[in-house]
Amino acid sequence: VRLKTTCTVHASGLLRIDARLDAAPPGGGGTGAGNGGQGEQHIAVGVLRGPSVCLRSVEASAHLDVEGEAVRTRWDDTGAFQQMALRLVVGDSHKCPHESLHQKRLLVYGDTISLCAHTGSYLTACGSTLHSLPQNTDGSSQCFELEARGKGQQGLRVRAGEDVALRLCGRMCSTRLYIAPNGPDGSVCLRASPAFWTLQVGERVPPLRVGF
């Protein structure tokens, strides 16, 4: 359903707001994470800007959010703090995250990506923790490989609504480290065991809040 509103300002200065719920047209709405047909939505990426994505932790049941340099999983919400631009890394992952791609294509498992927060900074590995920092010249700490939850999916297209793991592709990384929720304060860390995130695609409207 969709909420439609109409605002009318009367000569007396009173403001009237009318609202009604309309059913969405067939085939519209949703995240498009179905199993084929018109409901299936693959993820396309490009050099200048990627799709807006949100990452929801399967383990913590909350979305990854960025505020300043802090990266956390505080709320099960898809507002401005949770929006990220997905960028594809082509070739040497130790260069700047999105220099090499000149054409859009579909994202597949095994691709290396970077995630740019709404602040314009990138998710960056700093030791065992994760922060949001400006793009650096050695992009290895800002590059992550997409891994599927099931086996045998390397090279298959990534669909919206699927669960993915994000593995650090750092040059100095001797073990497989993954982005994972960490503790009651909502902080995010890097750990050796995979942690899965539901990949939600597109600008998402935050929950309706009424107040003045």
Side-chain angles (χ1 to χ4, degrees):
V1 295
R2 295 179 297 188
L3 179 66
K4 288 189 174 181
T5 60
T6 303
C7 298
T8 305
V9 180
H10 295 277
S12 62
L14 294 176
L15 175 66
R16 175 180 173 180
I17 301 176
D18 297 300
R20 75 165 187 260
L21 292 174
D22 284 351
T31 61
N35 296 319
Q38 292 183 346
E40 188 172 41
Q41 182 181 355
H42 298 291
I43 301 171
V45 290
V47 58
L48 296 180
R49 54 177 301 183
S52 178
V53 300
C54 296
L55 293 167
R56 186 178 189 270
S57 168
V58 174
E59 180 179 328
S61 299
H63 288 79
L64 188 147
D65 68 86
V66 173
E67 185 176 9
E69 293 186 358
V71 181
R72 290 168 285 192
T73 50
R74 294 179 290 179
W75 311 293
D76 193 11
D77 194 358
T78 55
F81 287 173
Q82 288 80 15
Q83 301 294 327
M84 306 202 184
L86 186 152
R87 308 279 173 83
L88 181 66
V89 179
V90 174
D92 188 353
S93 64
H94 308 308
K95 294 180 180 178
C96 291
H98 50 88
E99 283 186 329
S100 305
L101 186 64
H102 298 288
Q103 294 181 344
K104 290 186 177 182
R105 72 164 175 81
L106 295 177
L107 194 67
V108 300
Y109 288 108
D111 275 341
T112 301
I113 64 167
S114 63
L115 288 162
C116 182
H118 65 97
T119 58
S121 296
Y122 287 78
L123 297 194
T124 306
C126 301
S128 62
T129 61
L130 198 70
H131 298 280
S132 180
L133 300 175
Q135 183 182 20
N136 55 40
T137 55
D138 179 5
S140 60
S141 62
Q142 298 177 335
C143 298
F144 303 90
E145 181 181 336
L146 279 169
E147 293 188 356
R149 187 159 195 166
K151 295 182 179 180
Q153 298 193 51
Q154 190 83 349
L156 297 182
R157 293 174 180 175
V158 180
R159 293 186 294 252
E162 292 184 336
D163 295 341
V164 302
L166 295 162
R167 182 176 67 84
L168 177 64
C169 296
R171 177 182 296 161
M172 305 302 294
C173 183
S174 58
T175 59
R176 300 170 76 88
L177 295 177
Y178 298 86
I179 297 178
N182 180 37
D185 61 346
S187 59
V188 176
C189 68
L190 294 169
R191 74 183 187 202
S193 58
F196 292 97
W197 304 81
T198 303
L199 193 60
Q200 300 173 330
V201 179
E203 296 288 347
R204 305 179 66 82
V205 180
L208 179 64
R209 297 181 177 93
V210 179
F212 296 94

